Amino acid sequence: MCQYGVHRYALYDPDGKDADVSSEPELSPADLAGYIDHTLLKPEASEADILKLCSEAVQFGFKSVCVNPVWVKTATKALRGSGVLTCAVAGFPLGATPTDVKVFEARGATLDGADEVDMVINIAAARANDRGALVEDIQAVAEAVHGSSSILKVIIETSLLTDEQKVLACEAAVEAGADFVKTSTGFNGGGATVEDVRLMRATVGPDLGVKASGGVRTADDARAMIAAGATRIGASSGVAIVSGQPAAGGY
């Protein structure tokens, strides 16, 4: 494994095994579960909703639950001993808070028990092609998160960027020491696309994770993203993905 507990990923295998990505991988529901960050980021989510999310994550063997920072302690307690990770968001969903606020939020989440933090970049800086501002923002949060031996995923919000800006944001994440790049918040228009995942994987190379999130609602959706290079799937429809139940929309 690489520093901070990140595997040297093959194009779709979260355990770093060799993989043929010429076609969509034949992954069982149990295999897919290991890619999924089971997500609930709605502002109106209750404690009962979060506990249900955690129970489902344990039942189906999801990789993590992804929650707002206020619920990190609740999720961490509910998941203790299960092997399911706790993931929190920072600067979410706009990315338009000062870097020191993102740092404070991310550090607080890790102190509350978050194993992973998904931060939103300074989207305006990406659209202005300001690489220096992007690196500074991401690097400060990365240092805070890695100080707790946690993982940092960087949300670039692909729906708001051109392909050139997506590449710039991914390159900045690599330079800043992030562990993953992630497509979307799910709150600002379009979500993950196969084309974006493929572009992000080509940009960051094999050593960083790529998380496809937003609009991934079926097993076929998940397999397509994994074939394109995703090593993690962010979804509020995790149960539907692994069980074939109808998917509910939205995070």
Side-chain angles (χ1 to χ4, degrees), residues 114-132:
D115 303 290
E116 302 182 340
V117 173
D118 291 13
M119 70 165 284
V120 186
I121 63 165
N122 181 336
I123 297 167
R127 289 170 64 96
N129 299 310
D130 190 342
R131 183 188 186 105

Side-chain angles (χ1 to χ4, degrees), residues 9-160:
Y9 291 109
L11 283 188
Y12 75 79
D13 191 328
D15 295 318
K17 299 174 184 177
D18 292 335
D20 177 6
V21 296
S22 60
S23 61
E24 292 185 17
E26 292 299 323
L27 298 172
S28 70
D31 292 329
L32 289 175
Y35 288 84
I36 292 172
D37 290 348
H38 195 35
T39 302
L40 179 56
L41 295 169
K42 292 180 178 179
E44 71 271 24
S46 67
E47 182 178 22
D49 294 329
I50 298 300
L51 292 175
K52 180 174 183 285
L53 185 83
C54 293
S55 177
E56 290 171 344
V58 173
Q59 177 184 352
F60 291 98
F62 295 135
K63 182 69 175 181
S64 81
V65 299
C66 186
V67 297
N68 281 305
V70 70
W71 295 117
V72 169
K73 287 183 179 179
T74 299
T76 300
K77 181 178 179 181
L79 295 170
R80 188 169 292 130
S82 70
V84 178
L85 304 178
T86 302
C87 175
V89 292
F92 192 90
L94 302 179
T97 49
T99 297
D100 58 354
V101 175
K102 293 180 186 179
V103 168
F104 181 85
E105 189 174 24
R107 183 180 290 119
T110 63
L111 291 175
D112 283 345
D115 303 290
E116 302 182 340
V117 173
D118 291 13
M119 70 165 284
V120 186
I121 63 165
N122 181 336
I123 297 167
R127 289 170 64 96
N129 299 310
D130 190 342
R131 183 188 186 105
L134 287 170
V135 171
E136 181 180 351
D137 189 49
I138 299 166
Q139 188 171 51
V141 180
E143 289 173 356
V145 170
H146 293 157
S148 297
S149 299
S150 299
I151 296 298
L152 178 66
K153 308 192 201 86
V154 174
I155 307 171
I156 69 170
E157 202 65 284
T158 51
S159 65
L160 300 180

